Amino acid sequence: MGEVDLNIAVAGIPINNPVWTASGCCNYGRELGTLYPLRELGAIVVKGTSLDPWEGNPGRRVAETPSGMLNAIGLQNPGVEHLLRVELPWLEQQGATVVVNVVGHTVAEYVAVIQRLAEAGPTSVAAIELNISCPNVREGGIEFGRDPSAAAEVTRAAARVTPWPLFVKLSPNVSDIIPFARAVAEAGADALTLINTLVGMDIDLASGRPVLGNTTGGLSGPAILPVALRMVWDVTHAVRIPVVGVGGIRSGDDAVRFLLAGAQAVQVGTAIFQDPWAPIRIRDGIEAYLRAHGHRSLRSLVDAVRHRLDG
Amino acid sequence: MDQNGLWRCEDAAVVSQQKSGPDWYRLTLRAPAIAPLVQAGQFVQVRVHPDGWIGSDPLLRRPLSVCTVHQDELTLIYRVVGRGSFILSQRQAGEGINLLGPLGRPFPLTAAEQCPLFLVGGGLGIPPLALAAKQTPGRRRTAILGARSKSYLAGAEEVAATGIPVLVITEDGSSGSTGRVTDLLAKHLGPGDQVWACGPDAMLMAVSALCDRTQASCWLSIERPMACGFGVCIGCTVARQRGGFAKTCVDGPVFRSTEVNLLG
Ligand SMILES: Cc1cc2nc3c(=O)[nH]c(=O)nc-3n(C[C@H](O)[C@H](O)[C@H](O)COP(=O)(O)OP(=O)(O)OC[C@H]3O[C@@H](n4cnc5c(N)ncnc54)[C@H](O)[C@@H]3O)c2cc1C
Ligand SMILES: Cc1cc2nc3c(=O)[nH]c(=O)nc-3n(C[C@H](O)[C@H](O)[C@H](O)COP(=O)(O)O)c2cc1C
Ligand code: FES
């Protein structure tokens, strides 16, 4: 039996397989790059990148929860100049397909990061992912993520300046995600990534105080998979632009569920912490599923699902 | 990551596991890919369920320092404090446990200093000092080990087995003298000496303050909650004295005391 073809184009970016690493869960790829070639990843979504360096949150930043974890990193990152000068040249040498996750406090900051990238024109960058949904930075992206018209405004401004396809990463911390998906699609997003983490917290029994320095944090891992899957399902039934599914994926079967819900690719985050090879395993698991179900290519499954959604 | 060299993932076989104190265990694993690479102060990220387990809880690995290495075997000494360490304590000889490691920046083993070196450990900070003693054969070393009471001196046997002089102190006087490690250290430490310390933050801060007063140089091995353990999540930070944050898992766990602010 022949090879299963995992190539697919999402919003015009050709990728060799549908498994990407999620932003904030693979840094800039150097650590995973010591274990396997980064070309093995469909794409690598780098840590949220701001105009100037962000220091991140003080105090405890991570806590394990049942089948999941909370994080309140606060988007610590060395800024766009560091990305351009140090990380992107290295990623280019590795032959990696890079998606730059962009954060800002204001629309102008989002725009400035993208303009700076566009000016430098690094060839390794394949797409921009706007993070309008981080729950851990008070005046940060979340404000855009909680109001459809603000989400549309930052999307419109970013779409105007980006030379690359624009992905917008939505927050699950809203009562109805569909108005957000529609608003950013109309404002010029080429694709959607969903979901970011769900706001949660833990309390320490000994001190009686919140465990995390930031009080609340973002919940990720297997615990959020059903929520993410439901949101992908809702959104693929409501908008036509491609969707990348993320949330709790740790096996090929998990990933296939997202593809069956209408996603064209998936991102893997928290699973990497337990198993740095998770993205590779998940890719191989998708391939095994496709083979077992008589698909010669990923495209054939994605088209079949699209047909069902359109029908 | 690159600065710390090689790390591996390996299904290690449990050689033995014994309850060795009121709440602590000695776990010896056959880990031929990892054991020979370990430098004192480095740790492994341990999956607490046996190989083949596909459940999702607990989700994260647990960081544990390597206590001793003998050829292709390594020994971990750990305290049961929560569900992860409890599940680990159920593992039996013959089972497989997945390890990632060795991880982190070790003690400054290759430094050419000739000054006296004090290895100072409190409670579950003692185990990594056994490997530190073993891997510094050329140096004049003294171990100062402390705990609440005798039965909590986890790893003290392993340190003593290296043959270096060991001074013991317990809070209740059940072994050695009565008091805390800094009481003993204050009696022996001189200007220009060097200290490598591992233990709870309060102890590390007291040791570091004593070193400052005495003009001794000081290295601390610290613990912070971790998600990945290999540098990708930025979850394990400790404040740097010059501002910003360091990652405990790759920039540490061993830091120069002047580099970090444990209260930050
Ligand atoms: C570099 C390093 C080396 C360590 N070496 C040793 C050792 O040699 N022996 C030993 O007994 N302990 C050691 N610890 C502490 C050990 O990792 C924790 O006791 C253990 O993770 C507790 O897990 P649990 O599920 O039983 O506890 P829980 O409290 O249920 O754990 C919940 C979460 O908090 C984390 N956590 C809890 N306590 C600590 C802690 N003190 N430090 C870091 N994370 C923690 C856990 O990893 C887990 O993610 C080390 C920690 C670090 C960071
Ligand atoms: C430690 C950590 C850091 C993260 N940092 C970012 C970030 O910088 N930008 C972003 O858009 N999402 C960030 N995320 C969210 C993930 O990219 C992902 O959307 C989420 O964790 C759900 O997927 P998972 O369950 O596979 O982890 C972060 C998640 C974690 C756990
Ligand atoms: S534990 Fe993830 S960066 Fe240190």
Side-chain angles (χ1 to χ4, degrees):
Chain A
M1 196 164 157
E3 286 284 296
V4 177
D5 179 6
L6 293 179
N7 285 286
I8 192 162
V10 181
I13 2 174
I15 48 174
N16 62 24
N17 81 77
V19 184
W20 308 4
T21 55
S23 180
C25 301
C26 56
N27 211 18
Y28 297 100
R30 289 182 192 265
E31 297 80 6
L32 298 184
T34 64
L35 303 177
Y36 47 82
L38 297 181
R39 288 184 306 277
E40 302 269 316
L41 301 169
I44 158 167
V45 187
V46 297
K47 180 72 194 164
T49 301
S50 50
L51 188 56
D52 301 313
W54 286 8
E55 201 170 73
N57 289 327
R60 181 160 174 179
R61 290 181 173 188
V62 292
E64 195 184 58
T65 56
S67 292
M69 62 170 278
L70 292 162
N71 87 81
I73 310 300
L75 291 169
Q76 175 176 337
N77 83 94
V80 67
E81 293 306 326
H82 173 90
L83 181 73
L84 279 168
R85 192 166 34 81
V86 181
E87 307 298 348
L88 288 176
W90 181 83
L91 282 160
E92 190 173 327
Q93 276 171 22
Q94 309 307 306
T97 300
V98 181
V99 175
V100 180
N101 182 279
V102 174
V103 295
H105 297 108
T106 60
V107 172
E109 282 185 19
Y110 280 95
V111 167
V113 173
I114 300 170
Q115 278 177 327
R116 184 67 193 96
L117 286 165
E119 232 169 76
T123 52
S124 54
V125 173
I128 297 291
E129 182 178 79
L130 279 195
N131 175 6
I132 57 166
S133 49
C134 178
N136 298 323
V137 180
R138 233 168 287 280
E139 71 282 31
I142 194 73
E143 297 309 323
F144 301 104
R146 284 207 176 135
D147 168 9
S149 59
E153 186 196 340
V154 65
T155 304
R156 203 171 297 115
R160 225 175 273 135
V161 294
T162 177
W164 297 286
L166 181 67
F167 288 62
V168 178
K169 187 167 180 182
L170 298 181
S171 170
N173 301 301
V174 294
S175 52
D176 183 2
I177 200 165
I178 292 171
F180 289 86
R182 292 212 169 103
V184 303
E186 276 161 25
D190 297 300
L192 298 172
T193 303
L194 39 136
I195 58 179
N196 210 312
T197 54
L198 288 146
V199 181
M201 73 179 293
D202 191 13
I203 294 182
D204 181 65
L205 290 181
S207 68
R209 310 249 294 266
V211 167
L212 295 175
N214 188 52
T215 305
T216 60
L219 182 65
S220 65
I224 72 168
L225 186 144
V227 178
L229 192 60
R230 192 270 292 178
M231 289 187 164
V232 168
W233 174 274
D234 282 354
V235 167
T236 55
H237 284 76
V239 301
R240 291 286 321 237
I241 58 175
V243 168
V244 178
V246 48
I249 297 171
R250 66 195 180 97
S251 68
D253 288 356
D254 290 344
V256 168
R257 288 182 169 85
F258 281 84
L259 299 175
L260 293 171
Q264 302 200 353
V266 296
Q267 295 178 5
V268 177
T270 302
I272 293 171
F273 305 158
Q274 199 218 51
D275 175 9
W277 283 268
I280 310 291
R281 250 196 320 101
I282 291 165
R283 177 199 67 190
D284 294 347
I286 294 172
E287 187 178 358
Y289 173 93
L290 291 172
R291 181 172 287 127
H293 289 77
H295 291 282
R296 290 266 186 74
S297 68
L298 173 63
R299 193 75 247 173
S300 118
L301 176 77
V302 166
D303 286 346
V305 173
R306 189 70 247 172
H307 189 69
R308 193 195 70 214
L309 289 170
D310 290 342
Chain B
M1 194 80 240
D2 355 27
Q3 78 269 22
N4 296 321
L6 297 169
W7 51 306
R8 302 260 194 275
C9 183
E10 156 163 68
D11 291 332
V14 177
V15 175
S16 66
Q17 159 125 282
Q18 304 140 12
K19 187 166 196 238
S20 305
D23 59 359
W24 59 272
Y25 288 74
R26 243 190 207 98
L27 173 61
T28 298
L29 299 163
R30 181 164 301 112
I34 293 174
L37 302 175
V38 183
Q39 294 179 270
Q42 290 189 301
F43 63 100
V44 286
Q45 275 281 57
V46 182
R47 278 199 72 176
V48 296
H49 282 297
D51 292 346
W53 168 265
I54 56 164
S56 59
D57 196 64
L59 183 67
L60 302 172
R61 293 169 182 261
R62 296 296 187 265
L64 294 174
S65 300
V66 176
C67 172
T68 58
V69 173
H70 289 290
Q71 283 152 4
D72 62 356
E73 293 182 3
L74 55 82
T75 297
L76 309 174
I77 288 188
Y78 66 94
R79 186 171 164 214
V80 171
V81 297
R83 59 197 184 124
S85 46
F86 172 77
I87 295 167
L88 185 62
S89 73
Q90 307 299 298
R91 302 280 66 79
Q92 296 179 356
E95 283 183 304
I97 292 183
N98 190 267
L99 303 180
L100 214 52
L103 297 165
R105 187 167 69 163
F107 286 109
L109 296 163
T110 49
E113 272 111 336
Q114 288 308 308
C115 59
L117 171 63
F118 290 91
L119 304 175
V120 180
L124 266 304
I126 298 173
L129 300 181
L131 196 57
K134 194 171 162 199
Q135 293 184 341
T136 48
R139 300 195 57 179
R140 277 179 291 152
R141 299 143 299 168
T142 308
I144 298 184
L145 311 178
R148 261 187 283 172
S149 70
K150 188 176 179 190
S151 56
Y152 292 92
L153 285 162
E157 263 177 56
E158 279 78 1
V159 178
T162 65
I164 72 168
V166 176
L167 306 173
V168 170
I169 186 161
T170 51
E171 286 176 35
D172 66 359
S174 54
S175 179
S177 41
T178 306
R180 303 190 162 184
V181 287
T182 37
D183 301 333
L184 269 185
L185 182 61
K187 287 186 193 148
H188 295 85
L189 191 67
D193 293 353
Q194 194 171 74
V195 173
W196 298 355
C198 186
D201 276 10
M203 179 201 109
L204 296 180
M205 286 187 283
V207 168
S208 158
L210 175 60
C211 288
D212 285 350
R213 284 198 300 278
T214 319
Q215 292 177 317
S217 61
C218 181
W219 300 78
L220 307 173
S221 174
I222 71 169
E223 286 180 9
R224 287 294 179 271
M226 293 179 173
C228 66
F230 50 88
V232 296
C233 75
I234 334 184
C236 59
T237 41
V238 57
R240 286 192 197 273
Q241 291 194 6
R242 61 171 154 86
F245 297 97
K247 296 185 215 177
T248 302
C249 67
V250 291
D251 301 324
V254 176
F255 292 98
R256 189 76 200 256
S257 64
T258 47
E259 209 177 329
V260 290
N261 172 7
L262 297 185
L263 293 174

